[in-house]
Amino acid sequence: MPVLHAAILALIMQSPDSGVTALRAARLLDPKTGAITTNAVVVVQSGVIKAAGAGVAIPSGATIVDLGAVTLLPGLIDCHTHLLQNYKGAYGGDDPNMALTVATLGTTRRVLLGVAMGRQDLEAGITTVRDVGNSGGGGDVALRDAIADGWVTGPRIIASTRALSAAGGQFGTLAPEAQPLIQQEYVVVSGVEEARRAVRQAFYDGADLIKVIVNTGPRVLSLDEMKVIVDEAHRVGKRVAAHATSDSATRIAALAGVNSVEHGYTISDDALRMMAAKGIYLVPTDYPAAFYVDALAPTGLSAAEHDRELAGAREFEAHSRDRLTRAIKLGVRIAFGSDEYYDVPGRTRGQASLLPLEAYQNDGMSPLDVIRAATVNAADLIGWGDRLGVIEAGKRADIIAVDGDPLKDVRALERARFVMKDGVVIRNDVAGSQRR
Ligand SMILES: [Zn+2]
């Protein structure tokens, strides 16, 4: 039997008439310019966009997918996710969930969990993710490669392997006997030589980028450690994503010249100016306030407890809004990241992961800027700006279709009805769509 490369085999199996596909749609959005093309045609072959625009000729013999009155957009890119975690609110927050996940699932089962979470992301229109740690020992790399090789269907993954961190990683209190669990999830570094070694080890383990936890509780990496991490990664053309939530941590991350500050709940104006000058992205992992209470708070709250939770979430939301508004005003570029890793009742992982887009819009970003954060900006941040983020000739054929007008309300993105990744149709719920 001839040996077929897995990716080719997958392509043949998923699209039996594996030639040219032409998508037809009422509208096509270019996130770069904000321009809408009406009566759009997108011609796709071998996973790549060959032509896109109005009046593009459809090659004879092409399979035509007529999507009707939808808007086509590039596949969405989530720059901050954790596919190999799915915490339960009922277990009581991050600390018990992390201990349980690492101690009871192990990497093998977490990879299988990642298959399910990735599939849900993809079906919601998230065609690429940057998976930033909490993946056990090499689970993210295994899943990335399995998807790339066509063993399983999922989003394209940019993987970090284990995050670098100060002592303890992001675990809550662990007894001394249980502390070996930490190294399954984090590489603890202390001093510049350990930091340097950890970066090289991550690349040996298959990392596409480095994720570093600048602050975790009162434990904060030093500027010298951060500079070595950034230098060591940049020297070989790789990027650094920095979890930083406090004033001192965001300042250290900006000074060290990381590529993105993740969360950045508290950032002073001068650190934001530094980020703007150095082209450092902010990845705001913000959610609408009600989400924290309705989806994640313990069940069975009294009315008074519910109101107290909601008031706390609203205060946090106002704080996050203030720093996002200042960041944009000072010229910091924004890329979308969900930081979704909880089982959210009533929503798939993908549906829950799109809620931050709504939060950005609530915070005053224009719908077009929100869409840019999840397409062109995200593609640029992950180093795929030449292949992803817009629908134009030469780019990978990652395309979604939505009803309604996403330039009026980004919540339209929460209802993708057609998803294509690498030229393969993942879902198509558009009534009356024809394949010929
Ligand atoms: Zn995270």
Side-chain angles (χ1 to χ4, degrees):
M1 183 181 160
V3 178
L4 279 175
H5 187 271
I8 297 171
L9 188 61
L11 199 66
I12 292 169
M13 287 166 63
Q14 285 169 40
S15 64
D17 49 345
S18 60
V20 177
T21 302
L23 307 179
R24 265 188 172 137
R27 294 150 47 97
L28 181 156
L29 172 66
D30 180 347
K32 266 197 297 204
T33 62
I36 291 275
T37 300
T38 51
N39 298 319
V41 173
V42 183
V43 178
V44 172
Q45 187 176 22
S46 307
V48 175
I49 297 166
K50 293 293 174 190
V56 167
I58 296 179
S60 64
T63 300
I64 298 172
V65 182
D66 197 342
L67 295 167
V70 298
T71 301
L72 298 181
L73 300 108
L76 305 176
I77 301 169
D78 184 349
C79 295
H80 187 128
T81 196
H82 304 281
L83 293 179
L84 279 68
Q85 285 178 315
N86 195 32
Y87 288 2
K88 307 269 185 270
Y91 294 170
D94 285 2
D95 291 356
N97 269 293
M98 183 173 289
L100 276 170
T101 296
V102 176
T104 67
L105 289 185
T107 303
T108 312
R109 274 186 273 190
R110 292 176 73 183
V111 172
L112 295 171
L113 170 68
V115 171
M117 298 296 98
R119 178 87 204 197
Q120 292 176 15
D121 267 9
L122 186 58
E123 292 194 348
I126 299 168
T127 48
T128 301
V129 302
R130 196 175 64 158
D131 198 282
V132 284
N134 301 112
S135 307
D140 51 353
V141 167
L143 181 59
R144 174 195 70 194
D145 294 347
I147 290 170
D149 288 343
W151 297 357
V152 295
T153 300
R156 185 179 294 98
I157 295 179
I158 314 298
S160 72
T161 71
R162 293 177 300 165
L164 281 52
S165 172
Q170 293 173 296
F171 278 87
T173 303
L174 290 180
E177 303 91 316
Q179 291 184 13
L181 287 178
I182 295 164
Q183 64 187 357
Q184 292 184 36
E185 206 74 347
Y186 298 93
V187 184
V188 169
V189 299
S190 184
V192 293
E193 282 315 315
E194 285 188 17
R196 196 189 316 274
R197 186 196 348 236
V199 172
R200 293 176 184 173
Q201 182 70 43
F203 294 141
Y204 179 71
D205 291 340
D208 299 304
L209 81 150
I210 297 299
K211 168 75 179 299
V212 54
I213 312 295
V214 185
N215 64 315
T216 172
R219 310 176 298 283
V220 185
L221 292 182
S222 70
L223 179 56
D224 282 346
E225 288 163 333
M226 283 300 300
K227 276 182 171 164
V228 163
I229 289 166
V230 171
D231 288 350
E232 202 60 30
H234 286 183
R235 196 158 61 79
V236 293
K238 306 283 192 188
R239 300 178 185 209
V240 178
H243 163 109
T245 59
S246 68
D247 191 32
S248 62
T250 49
R251 183 180 306 274
I252 287 169
L255 281 167
V258 301
N259 298 91
S260 59
V261 168
E262 312 292 308
H263 320 298
Y265 297 123
T266 300
I267 319 182
S268 64
D269 280 354
D270 62 300
L272 287 170
R273 279 190 203 98
M274 206 167 11
M275 288 171 65
K278 294 183 178 187
I280 299 171
Y281 277 93
L282 174 63
V283 179
T285 55
D286 302 353
Y287 281 78
F291 167 81
Y292 292 103
V293 185
D294 297 342
L296 299 185
T299 48
L301 294 180
S302 70
E305 287 166 334
H306 180 276
D307 289 353
R308 213 165 29 245
E309 289 272 342
L310 189 59
R314 289 230 169 94
E315 202 175 306
F316 185 60
E317 185 184 53
H319 179 78
S320 302
R321 174 176 303 151
D322 168 66
R323 74 91 165 72
L324 184 59
T325 308
R326 285 185 294 113
I328 291 167
K329 201 167 116 200
L330 294 169
V332 176
R333 288 183 293 177
I334 309 297
F336 158 55
S338 71
D339 198 22
E340 183 53 73
Y341 53 88
Y342 270 85
D343 185 24
V344 177
R347 286 181 186 266
T348 69
R349 169 61 65 93
Q351 289 165 344
S353 294
L354 294 176
L355 287 170
L357 302 177
E358 198 175 318
Y360 302 164
Q361 179 171 271
N362 294 344
D363 286 352
M365 280 176 75
S366 72
L368 177 59
D369 281 341
V370 175
I371 292 166
R372 284 174 173 150
T375 54
V376 272
N377 288 7
D380 181 55
L381 170 57
I382 67 172
W384 281 65
D386 55 341
R387 287 156 286 175
L388 298 174
V390 287
I391 299 175
E392 64 185 23
K395 297 286 193 289
R396 301 300 308 173
D398 286 10
I399 299 167
I400 65 171
V402 301
D403 287 328
D405 186 352
L407 289 179
K408 286 216 177 84
D409 186 350
V410 293
R411 286 178 298 179
L413 301 182
E414 293 171 17
R415 297 178 301 272
R417 297 183 59 202
F418 170 89
V419 178
M420 171 181 270
K421 181 200 155 210
D422 275 330
V424 176
V425 177
I426 303 298
R427 66 180 287 183
N428 182 3
D429 317 334
V430 178
S433 137
Q434 300 266 321
R435 295 199 65 153
R436 188 175 79 190

